[in-house]
Amino acid sequence: MYLVYADEQGNVYDHPELYGLARSGDMIVEILEEELIPLPEGATLVGLPNTRAAGMNPETGEMLPLPEGSQAVGALLPQGFTRLCLPGYVKTDKSYKLPLFGYSAVVWKDGGFYVGAELTDDPEKWNPLNCDTKGVKAGVSELLAKYPENRLYEHLSNCALEYECLTSSNSFLGRWEGAVPVSHSCNAGCFGCISDQPEDSGFVSPQTRMDFRPRVDELVQVMLEHLKTPESIVSFGQGCEGEPSTQAKIIIEAMREVRATTNMGYININTNAGLNDHIRGIVDAGLDLMRVSTISALDDHYNAYYKPRGYTLANVEKSLKYAVSQGVYTSINYLVFPGVTDREEEVEAMVEFVRRTGLRLIQMRNLNIDPESYLGLIPPAKGEILGMKTMLDIFREELPEVVIGSYTHIPPANMARIKSGSVHI
């Protein structure tokens, strides 16, 4: 398990003697054999600027940072893989904030790259290599020509072509889960927001947020174009927007118009679920799936990261319970971070939260953040650090009816929502 590092030009090397190390929170730790899998297809190796890789002398156990001029290397994993540990590094500039990506530990072993990760879902649909870029470009040309006045398609074309967003790309390929962003505003101030950062945050948003409020007819056109197969999903709430439920009025109108035309596919919302009345209205309009973003089931941790405006974690729980009571298939978009999510108190709180709300799916999503900034923001650990692999095992044992995955699933046939005499299958 040899150390992987890069030079200042970005060339990647494996060290001939030192073993690779990892981080769990702010601790540098050894990587365990059972935590390693071959580098997945679609993963990307990246250098960590202003860092030095940390390796271990296998004979003495001594930790040794590499000389200046080298930098640590991390892997960015495709969806379907949950990170178990961070790269082992020390910063050469303590004030520097790493770009907002989810860095995973990588080593050289048996003639290939290995990462500290676990497969938690089928990666096939979300493998970037399975996205037909020529097909996306053709779909963009076709739909922009068909709907020249639709600003939403213009916005999505930039997301698909410039940012290579797979959900937006699906909107032009007519497959699986497609994007329907609706909101330029938000009722939270998420520390790691990828589309809106204060000028003094020190972070650079990797995406730009939509700057207009779409019309109902624009939403309807996008939704009807996509809802043409039984497994198609349209999703409000994307990385390029704020909180979709702040635009509940146009969402509800669009949903009703679409469902008056077709019963095909599923309507999903990715939301913080803090606005109870808005969520209730969207659910009552015929919502099929709801994914709620959370980083913790503990108030102090949740509040530190999300900085909620006018709502609390109790409101989130209330929205989830109502959606479940109305037959909506619910999940959480669980932002996970080694050394934090696997704290004893975090695991216990999340197990109880899932039980109370009746969640059916936990989507494990690697938190894109600068580790030092995040750890300096949230409360310190109170209990033991269990390890990400142990955490996953506990979830599977304590919550046997809950699916552990990495992205939105359609519900099993026996959980299809019945609404006004119609069944979505």
Side-chain angles (χ1 to χ4, degrees):
M1 300 188 296
Y2 290 98
L3 173 66
V4 173
Y5 67 99
D7 61 23
E8 292 177 326
Q9 288 71 47
N11 300 304
V12 177
Y13 305 92
D14 60 289
H15 198 281
E17 298 176 355
L18 297 181
Y19 282 6
L21 291 171
R23 286 179 52 152
S24 174
D26 58 1
M27 299 183 298
I28 293 184
V29 298
E30 293 185 44
I31 304 175
L32 304 178
E33 284 277 356
E34 60 264 28
E35 294 177 322
L36 293 173
I37 61 172
L39 184 72
E41 184 180 53
T44 304
L45 295 183
V46 295
L48 278 61
N50 294 304
T51 68
R52 291 162 65 187
M56 182 183 74
N57 183 321
E59 296 182 359
T60 66
E62 181 184 8
M63 188 197 83
L64 298 169
L66 291 189
E68 291 187 19
S70 65
Q71 61 180 339
V73 170
L76 307 182
L77 302 173
Q79 284 198 45
F81 294 89
T82 297
R83 170 181 59 182
L84 301 182
C85 44
L86 308 168
Y89 69 86
V90 292
K91 280 189 176 178
T92 56
D93 179 355
K94 301 293 186 183
S95 65
Y96 178 76
K97 296 184 179 181
L98 292 168
L100 296 171
F101 296 113
Y103 307 97
S104 300
V106 58
V107 296
W108 183 261
K109 177 178 178 288
D110 298 333
F113 293 110
Y114 279 68
V115 293
E118 182 170 317
L119 179 67
T120 44
D121 216 325
D122 182 355
E124 188 68 16
K125 288 183 177 181
W126 296 100
N127 187 332
L129 300 180
N130 292 334
C131 184
D132 179 6
T133 54
K134 291 183 178 179
V136 173
K137 292 178 181 178
V140 167
S141 297
E142 177 186 346
L143 290 172
L144 288 182
K146 185 174 181 179
Y147 302 105
E149 303 299 320
N150 191 314
R151 297 165 299 163
L152 200 49
Y153 271 128
E154 184 68 36
H155 175 77
L156 289 171
S157 69
N158 182 65
C159 296
L161 300 177
E162 182 70 21
Y163 300 127
E164 298 180 343
C165 167
L166 292 178
T167 317
S168 297
S169 297
N170 286 342
S171 296
F172 295 104
L173 292 172
R175 65 176 192 176
W176 307 329
E177 182 179 354
V180 193
V182 295
S183 177
H184 55 80
S185 62
C186 196
N187 60 332
C190 300
F191 184 72
C193 182
I194 63 173
S195 66
D196 185 37
Q197 285 288 332
E199 291 184 4
D200 61 352
S201 70
F203 293 120
V204 177
S205 298
Q207 299 179 7
T208 55
R209 180 172 293 184
M210 68 186 306
D211 59 1
F212 64 96
R213 182 176 184 267
R215 303 183 306 271
V216 171
D217 67 290
E218 291 174 312
L219 297 181
V220 170
Q221 288 168 356
V222 173
M223 294 168 72
L224 287 177
E225 279 289 342
H226 198 74
L227 292 173
K228 292 182 176 179
T229 68
E231 291 193 355
S232 58
I233 303 171
V234 289
S235 287
F236 304 110
Q238 304 297 320
C240 60
E241 64 173 308
E243 166 54 38
S245 68
T246 61
Q247 303 299 327
K249 184 176 185 297
I250 61 171
I251 287 176
I252 291 168
E253 290 179 18
M255 287 175 61
R256 287 173 174 164
E257 189 170 333
V258 165
R259 283 308 183 213
T261 303
T262 180
N263 204 37
M264 190 69 74
Y266 297 83
I267 300 176
N268 173 59
I269 188 169
N270 302 316
T271 172
N272 61 39
L275 301 174
N276 294 137
D277 291 342
H278 292 203
I279 293 297
R280 179 184 289 266
I282 293 168
V283 167
D284 292 347
L287 189 70
D288 300 295
L289 314 171
M290 185 168 82
R291 183 182 78 176
V292 174
S293 291
T294 189
I295 203 163
S296 176
L298 296 172
D299 289 282
D300 52 358
H301 183 183
Y302 183 93
N303 293 337
Y305 180 82
Y306 282 98
K307 299 178 176 61
R309 301 162 184 156
Y311 75 93
T312 66
L313 192 54
N315 293 113
V316 177
E317 185 170 330
K318 182 178 179 181
S319 289
L320 277 166
K321 288 178 177 178
Y322 182 74
V324 169
S325 75
Q326 298 304 302
V328 175
Y329 189 74
T330 58
S331 65
I332 53 170
N333 185 55
Y334 195 20
L335 304 177
V336 298
F337 188 92
V340 175
T341 314
D342 51 343
R343 294 173 178 176
E344 188 176 13
E345 65 270 21
E346 292 282 350
V347 175
E348 290 176 355
M350 183 52 67
V351 168
E352 291 306 313
F353 181 84
V354 173
R355 287 173 174 162
R356 290 196 307 271
T357 56
L359 283 168
R360 306 309 306 166
L361 166 65
I362 299 175
Q363 298 184 39
M364 310 295 295
R365 304 299 288 269
N366 301 312
L367 176 63
N368 297 332
I369 201 70
D370 172 72
E372 283 77 14
S373 298
Y374 176 52
L375 292 168
L377 174 78
I378 64 174
K382 297 177 182 177
E384 183 183 354
I385 308 298
L386 303 175
M388 294 293 289
K389 201 168 187 66
T390 297
M391 179 201 73
L392 289 167
D393 289 342
I394 291 172
F395 284 161
R396 292 177 179 124
E397 181 178 349
E398 295 293 326
L399 305 167
E401 302 301 318
V402 178
V403 177
I404 305 298
S406 295
Y407 52 79
T408 296
H409 293 199
I410 61 174
N414 64 346
M415 294 187 67
R417 185 178 185 193
I418 300 175
K419 190 74 172 176
S420 301
S422 299
V423 181
H424 300 285
I425 59 173

